[in-house]
Amino acid sequence: MSMNSSAPNQNTFAITTPLYYVNDLPHIGSAYTTIAADVVSRFYRLQGQPVLMITGTDEHGQKIQRTAEALGRSPQEHCDKIVEGFQALWDQLNIRCDRFIRTTSKRHEAIVREFFQRVWDNDDIYLGWQQGWYCVSCEEFKEERELLEDHYCPLHPTKQAEWRDEQNYFFRLSNYQGKLEALYQERPDFIRPDIRRNEVLSFVSRGLQDFSISRVNLDWGFPVPTDPDHTLYVWFDALLGYVTALVDANQEPTLENALAQWWPINLHLIGKDILRFHAVYWPAMLMSAGVPVPGGVFGHGFLTKDGQKMGKTLGNIIDPYELVGRYGSDAVRYYFLKEIEFGRDGDFNETRFVNILNADLANDLGNLLNRTLKMVHKYCEGYVPAVSNDDIATDDLLKSKGLTLGQEVADAYTSLSFSQACEAILAMIRAGNKFIDDQAPWALYKQGKQAEVEQVLYTVLEAVRLAAYLLSPIIPNISQAVYQQLGFEINFNSPESLTAYPFTVHAHWGALPAKQALGTPEPVFRRLELPT
Ligand code: MSP
């Protein structure tokens, strides 16, 4: 088997977010990727797979050094402070990461040195001369034609790129053009979605140039192992954070240990602006070091606010702390995944946010459960009606939807089509509301048709249960409230608890046990209101 085609582990699932720069506290863009990675991790955990979700911080480089200086802090002091802010936000968003890697850690330095040595021994590093325009905010050299007038960066329109003319070490990326092209060919889904894949294919087909991997006149970073007068380029060090993250806390930080269990990582989730680093530079670096490449890279789109690009100078930044503080973690998670097709650019608008949450979760889902439970308490003494699933016809409107929903939603999660997963689940919930209106169990009850009443109520409760289970990667707290009111003792936030509720049973129609005692009906999601 060629190195390119070595498939990632099928029985375990390792996923990464980018390692975020700590020049500032996390913004909504970092929250977006991290929420998505958490949802994917939860989906695989729900299926009983061992999962390793990796996030962390990218702490070296000129950008961080300058930010720290401007604030009168030492770079390390600054990083330590900002990192706390990241960890706090992930907690608030109910994100469960298994590894949090900081690129300033000692163990990371050991991995970087060993990796550098392998690439060096492979003769892929040489000393050369670098001239060009460098955007410190991107930490990237830019072609003159990529920049705006007066060398302002299009991604950071208030920052001018700086001219550099210095000796740097280079990585022989040009050696890997053919190998990369073969990789993209052999693994068409290595870069997703297609629009990103095409971008990379066209970039690579224009010819790859070696890129510089060291800087002079910069202290904040690891020294180049073979020449301490140079500091390693922040991206060379940062990408390797994904490898260091795999070393167990009690293990020696060696490449052998790092690569023993979870490598190749199944999926790198990133934003579209850092695609080249992940889909071109990174696999080439790995090939050079003789390490198999990861399973794939998915580049999501950019968020705007009220249709406008966000920026500090524009003063229209969405503060993720404020958002989650005001509306809660499930609401924030749901909005970004349901409302924006993953892979495309998307917009945040607070009125739409409130309307969608109220319509989908408070009205459609919450009311359906609430009214049904109340009827079960009234007509069936608060127990799941003793209806056998076989009694419900397979062409029953809800059951027939429910029978295929699990597979449909699993496929959607697997292809990272979160909004599609939500839509499919919502369609069943809406059908449930229509079903109960049409069947009118209150009228059936008055007519003394107890068996029919029980069948209708069972069917609706089962539909709500299935919906809650399938939505649990996105809105774990609401799913939990639903499950508890249905009489289950689950904790969707605890992987151990999930083993008693396997996907093979609960993602399918018919898992609600007859005669189970039901909880007290309470709203699972309180209506949101816009701040006045
Ligand atoms: N440190 C590098 C990543 C190194 S990975 C080994 C980095 N960090 S970052 O903090 O600047 O960016 C993190 C992520 O935020 C990127 O994936 C980027 O795409 C994403 N976003 C930044 N602004 C964004 C939006 N407005 N919308 C969506 N995501 C955006 O790059």
Side-chain angles (χ1 to χ4, degrees), residues 18-21 27 29 58 235 238 242 271 273-274 278 300-303:
L19 307 183
Y20 302 110
Y21 285 131
H27 47 71
D58 181 358
W235 268 100
Y242 297 141
D273 55 329
I274 52 175
H278 285 82
H300 66 66
F302 257 47
L303 304 174

Side-chain angles (χ1 to χ4, degrees), residues 260-322:
Q261 199 189 343
W262 295 93
W263 194 265
I265 279 169
N266 299 68
L267 180 62
H268 292 304
L269 275 192
I270 56 164
K272 65 181 181 181
D273 55 329
I274 52 175
L275 185 66
R276 233 176 252 183
F277 291 101
H278 285 82
V280 183
Y281 296 7
W282 179 225
M285 285 163 58
L286 290 165
M287 288 171 183
S288 171
V291 177
V293 300
V297 177
F298 190 103
H300 66 66
F302 257 47
L303 304 174
T304 52
K305 182 167 182 223
D306 305 324
Q308 276 201 315
K309 193 169 151 62
M310 278 178 283
K312 276 196 201 142
T313 36
L314 286 168
N316 66 343
I317 290 215
I318 307 167
D319 178 350
Y321 298 91
E322 213 176 285

Side-chain angles (χ1 to χ4, degrees), residues 498-514:
L498 296 180
T499 50
Y501 299 85
F503 198 83
T504 44
V505 177
H506 279 255
H508 295 272
W509 182 266
L512 185 64

Side-chain angles (χ1 to χ4, degrees), residues 89 345 528:
L89 182 64
D345 292 346
L528 303 180

